[in-house]
Amino acid sequence: MTVATSAAASASRAAGILSRPVSLNGLTVPNRIAMAPMTRQFSPGGIPGEDVASYYARRAAAGVGLIVTEGTYVGHESAGGSDRVPRFHGEEQLAGWAKVAEAVHAAGGTIVPQLWHIGMVRSAGEPPFPDAPAVGPSGLRLDGTAGQGKEMTRADLDDVVRAFAEAAAAAERIGFDGVEVHGAHGYLIDQFLWAGTNRRTDAYGGDLVARTKFAAEVVAAVRAAVSPAFPVIFRYSQWKPDNYKARLTETPAGLEALLAPLAAAGVDAFHASTRRYWLPEFDGSDLNLAGWTKKLTGKPTITVGSVGLDGDFLKGFRGEGAPVKGIDDLLDRLENEEFDLIAVGRALLQDPRWAAKVLAGRIGELAPFDAKSLGSLS
């Protein structure tokens, strides 16, 4: 077989595997490529404008099957820390999001908003509500120190659960195809899941199963707020920003204990966030976190972590580039049903036509990641 023939066969294989549709509850995603959520801060006043609609629609038109939006703040005053991150509450904000969903659908894609509360990551005095305190399970920041916030009361917990449910109901009402609950990367829900930030002695703290109680209540409320066929995705991670060794659990048995209450509460699919998808999650198996999640829950999973690039994504935000990485290993795993979708971040951020090139077998046209591209994000 010549080099050219081999390359053509590889390209054809990529197109064939990635072009298969997949079902997430009542939603049929047209292919296996998802857009990973990436914070952009391009929505002054928390209102997504026409530029945001165009940004997502361009990627849907170029073959992305499922758009997961950047994180959007739920309707709780302590949820965020920027007035340029979009919010998923408020008349103007939701009207803007309705236009985004309409544009993505017109381009042939499907779209879910990521619902977000940052918890103790918030700093005092930050917008959009400067007087709101940071809140968390124990009032602790990710480094374990006391922050300028407070430990959440039962009333606080109920308010946040309600905010997630109301956002999910709004998403279905204005035309989205599902929702993703952000339970990863050291933000509020993850702060409850992780022993490093959850020191509570009530029903919401203690062992790993007890620490899932708040997340499960959020999921159950979201599930109850939308129709039965409306997909609920849950994103989670082991790692935290600047603490890559942090782990919710060290074993498959622990992971099963963590995920089972969430699946029972109504999660339809899990989005397992890793920094490099090709790394095994536990000793003795090549399965990554998404692979273990699917094996333990039976639910569809989305894998993510430097897809198409060789280098850590956080370095990109510090001005570092990354070379192109082949996806043959990724295709092997997808073909073996280790997971169901791949979420693409930086590669798709830089090149809106990344999916079209891969699906058409034009892999040779893919370019290395250039951190300077973060300045446009068009």
Side-chain angles (χ1 to χ4, degrees):
M1 182 180 293
T2 66
V3 173
T5 301
S6 177
S10 178
S12 176
R13 176 172 178 256
I17 292 172
L18 292 172
S19 294
R20 297 175 299 162
V22 62
S23 295
L24 305 179
N25 195 346
L27 174 67
T28 298
V29 179
N31 61 47
R32 302 304 177 104
I33 300 175
M35 181 176 184
M38 291 171 284
T39 298
R40 303 171 63 238
Q41 301 200 56
F42 277 23
S43 298
I47 304 167
E50 292 182 5
D51 59 325
V52 176
S54 175
Y55 165 77
Y56 288 119
R58 287 181 67 194
R59 286 152 178 86
V64 175
L66 175 67
I67 301 283
V68 182
T69 74
E70 61 211 280
T72 68
Y73 299 150
V74 296
H76 185 263
E77 289 192 347
S78 299
S82 169
D83 197 41
R84 294 183 60 83
V85 167
R87 305 200 284 271
F88 217 84
H89 61 97
E91 185 175 349
E92 289 183 276
Q93 288 81 3
L94 292 177
W97 278 120
K99 293 178 181 178
V100 173
E102 182 180 9
V104 168
H105 290 154
T110 63
I111 183 169
V112 302
Q114 186 187 72
L115 307 180
W116 189 23
H117 193 302
I118 70 173
M120 289 300 300
V121 174
R122 175 177 166 79
S123 296
E126 286 184 329
F129 302 103
D131 294 334
V135 297
S138 304
L140 299 177
R141 295 200 175 278
L142 296 182
D143 61 4
T145 62
Q148 295 179 315
K150 68 169 191 171
E151 179 176 318
M152 295 175 74
T153 65
R154 181 54 195 259
D156 293 327
L157 297 174
D158 290 344
D159 287 345
V160 172
V161 169
R162 186 180 308 112
F164 273 94
E166 289 174 351
E172 185 170 26
R173 184 175 67 250
I174 65 176
F176 278 78
D177 299 297
V179 294
E180 176 170 284
V181 175
H182 195 341
H185 307 160
Y187 297 113
L188 180 63
I189 292 176
D190 191 33
Q191 290 161 24
F192 274 86
L193 295 175
W194 188 40
T197 43
N198 186 345
R199 310 287 177 80
R200 297 177 75 101
T201 57
D202 62 3
Y204 293 89
D207 65 18
L208 182 56
V209 175
R211 296 198 304 272
T212 68
K213 181 175 174 59
F214 176 66
E217 287 186 357
V218 170
V219 170
V222 166
R223 176 79 276 158
V226 297
S227 62
F230 195 70
V232 176
I233 303 168
F234 187 86
R235 194 181 212 217
Y236 80 102
S237 68
Q238 297 256 43
W239 64 275
K240 323 297 172 204
D242 297 324
N243 188 352
Y244 297 148
K245 295 182 179 180
R247 295 172 75 80
L248 302 177
T249 178
E250 298 285 351
T251 66
L255 186 61
E256 186 172 22
L258 167 74
L259 298 175
L262 303 176
V267 171
D268 295 303
F270 287 95
H271 190 170
S273 179
T274 57
R275 294 168 56 232
R276 299 179 178 91
Y277 76 84
W278 57 88
L279 297 180
E281 191 59 33
F282 301 114
D283 292 340
S285 170
D286 290 334
L287 292 177
N288 70 5
L289 186 61
W292 273 109
T293 300
K294 184 173 182 178
K295 179 177 179 177
L296 295 171
T297 68
K299 300 287 187 179
T301 58
I302 306 169
T303 196
V304 67
S306 299
V307 172
L309 297 172
D310 192 359
D312 181 68
F313 82 96
L314 288 178
K315 292 182 179 179
F317 292 88
R318 294 195 287 265
E320 298 183 28
V324 172
K325 176 180 171 62
I327 61 172
D328 285 342
D329 172 60
L330 184 69
L331 296 175
D332 290 341
R333 292 167 179 259
L334 196 58
E335 194 169 34
N336 291 333
E337 300 185 348
E338 180 176 336
F339 37 73
D340 299 276
L341 290 106
I342 62 167
V344 184
R346 287 170 297 160
L348 194 54
L349 186 68
Q350 172 174 280
D351 184 356
R353 296 196 57 77
W354 186 92
K357 292 174 182 177
V358 172
L359 291 169
R362 291 155 40 210
I363 295 176
E365 297 181 20
L366 302 180
F369 176 72
D370 179 359
K372 296 177 181 178
S373 69
L374 294 174
S376 60
L377 304 180
S378 61

Coordinates of all heavy atoms in Angstrom, one line a residue, residues 5 60 69 71 104 111 232 266 277 303 306 308 312 321 335 353 356 362 365:
T5 N -2.2 5.9 -0.6 CA -3.4 5.0 -0.4 C -3.7 4.9 1.1 O -4.8 4.8 1.5 CB -3.1 3.7 -1.1 OG1 -2.8 3.8 -2.4 CG2 -4.2 2.7 -0.9
A60 N -21.6 24.6 13.6 CA -22.6 23.7 13.2 C -22.7 23.4 11.7 O -22.9 22.3 11.2 CB -24.0 24.1 13.8
T69 N -22.5 24.8 24.7 CA -22.2 26.2 24.8 C -21.1 26.5 25.9 O -20.9 25.6 26.8 CB -23.4 27.1 25.1 OG1 -23.7 27.0 26.5 CG2 -24.5 26.8 24.2
G71 N -19.9 28.0 29.4 CA -20.6 28.1 30.6 C -21.5 29.3 30.7 O -21.1 30.4 30.4
V104 N -28.2 27.8 15.2 CA -27.6 26.5 15.1 C -28.4 25.5 14.4 O -28.0 24.6 13.6 CB -27.2 26.0 16.6 CG1 -26.8 24.5 16.6 CG2 -26.0 26.9 17.1
I111 N -27.9 21.7 19.9 CA -27.2 22.6 20.9 C -27.8 22.4 22.3 O -29.0 22.3 22.4 CB -27.2 24.1 20.4 CG1 -26.5 25.0 21.4 CG2 -28.7 24.6 20.2 CD1 -26.2 26.4 20.9
V232 N -30.4 15.3 29.6 CA -29.6 15.9 30.7 C -28.2 15.3 30.7 O -28.1 14.1 31.0 CB -30.3 15.7 32.1 CG1 -29.4 16.3 33.2 CG2 -31.7 16.4 32.1
G266 N -31.2 11.0 37.2 CA -31.7 11.4 35.9 C -30.7 11.8 34.8 O -31.1 12.4 33.8
Y277 N -7.1 12.9 26.6 CA -8.0 11.8 26.5 C -7.4 10.4 26.4 O -7.9 9.4 26.7 CB -9.0 11.9 25.2 CG -8.3 11.6 23.9 CD1 -8.2 10.3 23.5 CD2 -7.7 12.6 23.1 CE1 -7.6 10.0 22.3 CE2 -7.1 12.3 22.0 CZ -7.0 11.0 21.5 OH -6.4 10.6 20.4
T303 N -16.1 12.0 25.5 CA -14.7 12.2 26.0 C -14.2 13.5 25.5 O -14.6 14.1 24.5 CB -13.8 11.1 25.5 OG1 -12.6 11.0 26.2 CG2 -13.5 11.2 24.0
S306 N -7.6 17.6 24.7 CA -6.6 17.7 23.7 C -6.9 16.9 22.5 O -5.9 16.4 21.8 CB -5.2 17.4 24.3 OG -4.9 18.2 25.4
G308 N -7.1 16.1 18.8 CA -6.6 16.7 17.6 C -5.3 17.5 17.8 O -4.7 18.0 16.9
D312 N -1.3 20.5 26.5 CA -2.3 20.8 27.5 C -3.1 22.1 27.1 O -2.5 23.1 26.8 CB -1.6 21.0 28.9 CG -2.7 21.3 30.0 OD1 -3.5 20.4 30.3 OD2 -2.7 22.4 30.5
G321 N 1.3 27.4 22.0 CA 0.6 26.7 20.9 C 0.7 25.2 21.2 O 1.1 24.7 22.2
E335 N -14.5 3.3 17.8 CA -15.0 2.1 17.1 C -15.3 1.0 18.1 O -16.2 0.2 17.9 CB -14.0 1.7 16.1 CG -14.5 0.7 15.1 CD -13.6 0.6 13.9 OE1 -12.3 0.6 14.1 OE2 -14.1 0.3 12.8
R353 N -13.9 25.1 10.7 CA -14.2 24.1 9.8 C -13.4 22.8 10.1 O -13.3 21.9 9.2 CB -13.8 24.6 8.4 CG -14.7 25.7 7.9 CD -14.6 26.0 6.4 NE -15.0 24.8 5.6 CZ -16.3 24.4 5.4 NH1 -17.3 25.0 6.0 NH2 -16.5 23.3 4.8
A356 N -15.6 19.7 9.4 CA -15.8 19.5 8.0 C -14.6 18.9 7.4 O -14.7 18.0 6.5 CB -16.2 20.8 7.3
R362 N -10.0 15.4 5.0 CA -9.0 16.4 4.6 C -8.1 16.7 5.9 O -7.9 17.8 6.3 CB -9.6 17.7 4.1 CG -10.3 17.5 2.8 CD -11.4 18.4 2.4 NE -11.1 19.8 2.9 CZ -12.1 20.6 3.2 NH1 -13.4 20.2 3.2 NH2 -11.8 21.9 3.6
E365 N -5.2 19.1 6.1 CA -5.4 20.5 6.1 C -5.4 21.1 7.5 O -5.5 22.3 7.7 CB -6.7 20.9 5.4 CG -6.6 20.6 3.9 CD -7.9 21.0 3.2 OE1 -8.7 21.8 3.8 OE2 -8.2 20.4 2.1

